[in-house]
Amino acid sequence: MVNEHNAIEVKGLSKTFNGTVAVNVISFNVAKGELFGFLGPNGAGKTTTVRMLTGVLKPSDGTATIQGHDICSEALQSRAHIAVVPEEANVYLDMSVWQNIMLMADLYGVPRKQRTSKAVELLESLWLSDRREHKARTLSKGLRQRLMLCAALVSEPEILFLDEPTSGLDVQSRQIIHKIIRQLSDEGLTIFLTTHNMEEAEKLCSRVAIINEGEIAAIDTPDRLRSAIQARQYVEVVFSDNKLSTQELESLSGVSSVDLSSNAIRVYTETPGKTATEIAFLAKTRDMDVEQLCTRKPSLQEVFLYFTNQDKKEAKQ
């Protein structure tokens, strides 16, 4: 039975290509109005999953619903609720910004009066009004990405799929896209975001799913995922002059490992507060000056590496 509070429900979804499993019995839900991040290394199954959900590929097994409509048996109804912004902006280069939006509105069957007023509103909200008559080929990559958002949103979808929306963009363009995504989320739009950018996911998403080798490795809020790997919490310490030795730091209670690869020493521990106190006491007894001492939780990047075993793979290289 479909939960009316969910925009997307995935149950046992699988996809096999010529005997090779790309997606292996995955299940998850995306609530209405949620900004949901879908993360994973290259070849993990992200793109295949999105293509199944958006009707491009037919699942080998399992099922999924979009706004209560089955993606296979009710394909047209499910696709009517979504819009997709691909990583590479596939705009019509010889058409103007306005013509691109009108073409997309026409393809979606948006009434003429409604499409005009909506397009004007979108151009203004995405800071493209002054580019209305410009040919798409004259736009930068960041501006083309904003044009793609306009074209996707003109049909007023209930769910927006964003595939690597800031890939290759400069810092300013990335910040603008982030601001737009947050605004759309605040207005109640359900957003399914795939990204390689862990910092981006951490800033934007209320929940993230990490897919690895075709299976869901973890799914939760960024904070809870960080808390799930307590051993990757650490104390960061910078000494003015001499440093405590690796052996001395590793001998402290609760310490699992020490990283001396940078100026700031990282002491990994499940009890960072207690360890920080012990480091400060030990430094004082040795008459050593501490420039910086703080406790830190693992970043989402570290969580990602942990759940996809990338940290172990990198260590072997």
Side-chain angles (χ1 to χ4, degrees):
M1 184 176 179
V2 175
N3 187 326
E4 62 179 11
H5 298 295
N6 290 329
I8 302 171
E9 293 191 1
V10 178
K11 297 178 181 178
L13 204 62
S14 299
K15 183 64 181 178
T16 302
F17 295 101
N18 299 320
T20 301
V21 178
V23 174
N24 188 22
V25 196
I26 64 171
S27 300
F28 62 87
N29 299 323
V30 179
K32 291 179 179 178
E34 184 174 17
L35 208 172
F36 184 82
F38 200 57
L39 316 181
N42 290 331
K46 296 192 309 296
T47 300
T48 300
T49 300
V50 171
R51 286 179 175 173
M52 286 190 284
L53 294 178
T54 55
V56 178
L57 290 175
K58 186 176 181 180
S60 302
D61 201 1
T63 184
T65 60
I66 302 290
Q67 294 291 80
H69 297 287
D70 188 276
I71 60 172
C72 293
S73 63
E74 301 174 289
L76 289 177
Q77 295 96 317
S78 68
R79 286 200 293 268
H81 295 279
I82 69 172
V84 182
V85 177
E87 179 179 357
E88 292 298 325
N90 54 353
V91 296
Y92 290 92
L93 298 178
D94 290 321
M95 295 174 66
S96 70
V97 167
W98 182 259
Q99 289 170 331
N100 267 280
I101 299 171
M102 289 299 101
L103 176 61
M104 190 60 67
D106 189 42
L107 291 174
Y108 274 93
V110 181
R112 186 171 298 277
K113 185 176 181 181
Q114 181 181 332
R115 76 179 68 162
T116 300
S117 60
K118 185 63 179 177
V120 169
E121 175 191 327
L122 287 169
L123 286 173
E124 185 173 342
S125 63
L126 273 69
W127 305 293
L128 282 174
S129 294
D130 60 338
R131 309 274 182 167
R132 173 173 167 157
E133 301 305 326
H134 291 206
K135 292 285 181 69
R137 69 168 60 256
T138 68
L139 304 180
S140 66
K141 183 170 183 179
L143 290 173
R144 288 184 191 180
Q145 201 68 15
R146 281 149 65 184
L147 172 55
M148 282 295 299
L149 276 168
C150 283
L153 295 169
V154 72
S155 63
E156 301 188 78
E158 294 161 274
I159 303 170
L160 180 65
F161 286 86
L162 295 175
D163 185 12
E164 303 284 351
T166 62
S167 177
L169 299 187
D170 58 57
V171 174
Q172 184 178 19
S173 296
R174 191 180 303 123
Q175 289 176 341
I176 291 172
I177 295 295
H178 284 177
K179 184 175 181 180
I180 292 167
I181 292 172
R182 287 193 195 96
Q183 181 179 335
L184 292 171
S185 179
D186 290 342
E187 292 171 357
L189 183 65
T190 303
I191 299 176
F192 191 102
L193 171 71
T194 63
T195 179
H196 285 95
N197 189 322
M198 300 305 112
E199 182 182 358
E200 179 170 82
E202 191 161 20
K203 283 182 177 179
L204 297 175
C205 301
S206 54
R207 277 195 311 146
V208 296
I210 298 174
I211 186 170
N212 187 47
E213 298 181 349
E215 299 181 355
I216 300 295
I219 181 169
D220 214 325
T221 66
D223 279 344
R224 287 177 181 168
L225 286 176
R226 282 194 296 265
S227 298
I229 55 172
Q230 287 188 345
R232 302 306 291 172
Q233 297 179 100
Y234 60 91
V235 176
E236 192 170 77
V237 58
V238 177
F239 296 100
S240 300
D241 194 0
N242 297 327
K243 299 178 180 179
L244 293 171
S245 68
T246 302
Q247 291 77 13
E248 288 175 302
L249 292 170
E250 288 180 340
S251 68
L252 299 176
S253 60
V255 172
S256 57
S257 63
V258 176
D259 182 0
L260 302 175
S261 60
S262 64
N263 182 49
I265 302 170
R266 289 187 176 185
V267 182
Y268 290 92
T269 171
E270 294 186 10
T271 55
K274 180 181 178 182
T275 301
T277 301
E278 292 181 354
I279 290 174
F281 177 78
L282 190 56
K284 184 177 180 179
T285 61
R286 301 290 177 81
D287 198 25
M288 299 170 64
D289 291 329
V290 176
E291 287 187 357
Q292 177 183 317
L293 180 64
C294 56
T295 61
R296 298 193 184 280
K297 290 184 177 181
S299 66
L300 193 57
Q301 173 78 18
E302 291 171 302
V303 172
F304 174 79
L305 293 174
Y306 177 85
F307 280 110
T308 59
N309 293 316
Q310 297 297 304
D311 51 349
K312 298 184 179 108
K313 292 177 183 176
E314 290 174 0
K316 292 178 180 177
Q317 294 177 350

